mmCIF file of all heavy atoms in Angstrom:
data_model
loop_
_atom_site.group_PDB
_atom_site.id
_atom_site.type_symbol
_atom_site.label_atom_id
_atom_site.label_comp_id
_atom_site.label_asym_id
_atom_site.label_seq_id
_atom_site.Cartn_x
_atom_site.Cartn_y
_atom_site.Cartn_z
ATOM 1 N N PRO D 87 -199.681 -98.120 -114.326
ATOM 2 C CA PRO D 87 -200.468 -97.732 -113.120
ATOM 3 C C PRO D 87 -201.708 -98.452 -113.052
ATOM 4 O O PRO D 87 -202.371 -98.364 -112.025
ATOM 5 C CB PRO D 87 -200.511 -96.264 -113.309
ATOM 6 C CG PRO D 87 -200.522 -96.080 -114.759
ATOM 7 C CD PRO D 87 -199.689 -97.101 -115.319
ATOM 8 N N ASP D 88 -202.198 -98.985 -114.093
ATOM 9 C CA ASP D 88 -203.570 -99.633 -114.122
ATOM 10 C C ASP D 88 -203.633 -100.913 -113.291
ATOM 11 O O ASP D 88 -202.483 -101.613 -113.197
ATOM 12 C CB ASP D 88 -203.948 -99.935 -115.614
ATOM 13 C CG ASP D 88 -203.901 -98.644 -116.530
ATOM 14 O OD1 ASP D 88 -204.289 -97.581 -115.961
ATOM 15 O OD2 ASP D 88 -203.644 -98.763 -117.638
ATOM 16 N N PRO D 89 -204.769 -101.275 -112.849
ATOM 17 C CA PRO D 89 -204.938 -102.511 -112.089
ATOM 18 C C PRO D 89 -204.605 -103.842 -112.809
ATOM 19 O O PRO D 89 -204.925 -103.827 -114.174
ATOM 20 C CB PRO D 89 -206.310 -102.503 -111.545
ATOM 21 C CG PRO D 89 -206.935 -101.423 -112.362
ATOM 22 C CD PRO D 89 -206.033 -100.587 -112.975
ATOM 23 N N VAL D 90 -203.998 -104.795 -112.367
ATOM 24 C CA VAL D 90 -203.595 -106.000 -112.983
ATOM 25 C C VAL D 90 -204.249 -107.035 -112.208
ATOM 26 O O VAL D 90 -204.103 -107.122 -110.907
ATOM 27 C CB VAL D 90 -202.173 -106.263 -112.985
ATOM 28 C CG1 VAL D 90 -201.763 -107.603 -113.651
ATOM 29 C CG2 VAL D 90 -201.514 -105.111 -113.917
ATOM 30 N N LEU D 91 -205.150 -108.026 -112.733
ATOM 31 C CA LEU D 91 -205.539 -109.072 -112.039
ATOM 32 C C LEU D 91 -204.523 -110.209 -111.749
ATOM 33 O O LEU D 91 -203.683 -110.465 -112.752
ATOM 34 C CB LEU D 91 -206.768 -109.620 -112.774
ATOM 35 C CG LEU D 91 -207.422 -110.925 -112.102
ATOM 36 C CD1 LEU D 91 -208.160 -110.495 -110.958
ATOM 37 C CD2 LEU D 91 -208.387 -111.509 -113.129
ATOM 38 N N VAL D 92 -204.535 -110.815 -110.556
ATOM 39 C CA VAL D 92 -203.536 -111.861 -110.260
ATOM 40 C C VAL D 92 -204.336 -113.126 -109.812
ATOM 41 O O VAL D 92 -205.199 -112.949 -109.015
ATOM 42 C CB VAL D 92 -202.657 -111.330 -109.137
ATOM 43 C CG1 VAL D 92 -201.773 -112.489 -108.743
ATOM 44 C CG2 VAL D 92 -201.817 -110.029 -109.466
ATOM 45 N N LEU D 93 -203.954 -114.193 -110.554
ATOM 46 C CA LEU D 93 -204.502 -115.474 -110.168
ATOM 47 C C LEU D 93 -203.328 -116.416 -109.729
ATOM 48 O O LEU D 93 -202.543 -116.697 -110.643
ATOM 49 C CB LEU D 93 -205.316 -116.175 -111.302
ATOM 50 C CG LEU D 93 -206.718 -115.420 -111.547
ATOM 51 C CD1 LEU D 93 -207.130 -115.224 -112.923
ATOM 52 C CD2 LEU D 93 -207.829 -115.896 -110.684
ATOM 53 N N ASN D 94 -203.184 -116.735 -108.584
ATOM 54 C CA ASN D 94 -202.109 -117.324 -107.969
ATOM 55 C C ASN D 94 -202.160 -118.949 -108.292
ATOM 56 O O ASN D 94 -201.098 -119.566 -107.940
ATOM 57 C CB ASN D 94 -201.969 -117.175 -106.523
ATOM 58 C CG ASN D 94 -201.388 -115.782 -106.126
ATOM 59 O OD1 ASN D 94 -200.593 -115.362 -106.817
ATOM 60 N ND2 ASN D 94 -202.109 -115.143 -105.380
ATOM 61 N N ARG D 95 -203.132 -119.406 -108.738
ATOM 62 C CA ARG D 95 -203.320 -120.879 -108.996
ATOM 63 C C ARG D 95 -204.510 -121.123 -109.925
ATOM 64 O O ARG D 95 -205.175 -120.234 -110.238
ATOM 65 C CB ARG D 95 -203.419 -121.689 -107.729
ATOM 66 C CG ARG D 95 -204.664 -121.478 -106.987
ATOM 67 C CD ARG D 95 -204.882 -122.367 -105.774
ATOM 68 N NE ARG D 95 -204.745 -123.797 -106.106
ATOM 69 C CZ ARG D 95 -203.767 -124.560 -105.738
ATOM 70 N NH1 ARG D 95 -202.839 -124.056 -104.956
ATOM 71 N NH2 ARG D 95 -203.738 -125.782 -106.127
ATOM 72 N N SER D 96 -204.671 -122.396 -110.220
ATOM 73 C CA SER D 96 -205.755 -122.820 -111.158
ATOM 74 C C SER D 96 -207.161 -122.245 -110.469
ATOM 75 O O SER D 96 -207.405 -122.476 -109.306
ATOM 76 C CB SER D 96 -205.918 -124.191 -111.316
ATOM 77 O OG SER D 96 -204.702 -124.733 -111.976
ATOM 78 N N ALA D 97 -208.012 -121.852 -111.268
ATOM 79 C CA ALA D 97 -209.273 -121.500 -110.825
ATOM 80 C C ALA D 97 -210.378 -121.513 -111.935
ATOM 81 O O ALA D 97 -210.112 -121.498 -113.129
ATOM 82 C CB ALA D 97 -209.250 -119.944 -110.281
ATOM 83 N N ILE D 98 -211.617 -121.772 -111.485
ATOM 84 C CA ILE D 98 -212.685 -121.813 -112.444
ATOM 85 C C ILE D 98 -213.575 -120.627 -112.257
ATOM 86 O O ILE D 98 -213.924 -120.314 -111.046
ATOM 87 C CB ILE D 98 -213.589 -123.180 -112.175
ATOM 88 C CG1 ILE D 98 -212.683 -124.286 -112.551
ATOM 89 C CG2 ILE D 98 -214.783 -123.150 -113.076
ATOM 90 C CD1 ILE D 98 -212.263 -124.550 -113.931
ATOM 91 N N PRO D 99 -213.944 -119.911 -113.328
ATOM 92 C CA PRO D 99 -214.869 -118.767 -113.091
ATOM 93 C C PRO D 99 -216.147 -119.368 -112.688
ATOM 94 O O PRO D 99 -216.797 -120.057 -113.351
ATOM 95 C CB PRO D 99 -214.879 -118.224 -114.662
ATOM 96 C CG PRO D 99 -214.368 -119.217 -115.560
ATOM 97 C CD PRO D 99 -213.499 -120.082 -114.765
ATOM 98 N N MET D 100 -216.631 -118.795 -111.634
ATOM 99 C CA MET D 100 -217.973 -119.217 -110.941
ATOM 100 C C MET D 100 -218.462 -117.841 -110.519
ATOM 101 O O MET D 100 -218.007 -117.319 -109.499
ATOM 102 C CB MET D 100 -217.852 -120.199 -109.750
ATOM 103 C CG MET D 100 -217.408 -121.424 -110.352
ATOM 104 S SD MET D 100 -218.835 -122.329 -110.631
ATOM 105 C CE MET D 100 -218.476 -124.043 -110.437
ATOM 106 N N PRO D 101 -219.570 -117.329 -111.190
ATOM 107 C CA PRO D 101 -220.169 -115.945 -110.591
ATOM 108 C C PRO D 101 -220.529 -115.931 -109.182
ATOM 109 O O PRO D 101 -220.312 -114.948 -108.436
ATOM 110 C CB PRO D 101 -221.440 -115.912 -111.503
ATOM 111 C CG PRO D 101 -221.236 -116.780 -112.619
ATOM 112 C CD PRO D 101 -220.348 -117.899 -112.199
#
Side-chain angles (χ1 to χ4, degrees):
D88 299 327
V90 177
L91 180 70
V92 179
L93 290 148
N94 288 317
R95 66 171 308 109
S96 298
I98 296 295
M100 292 270 206

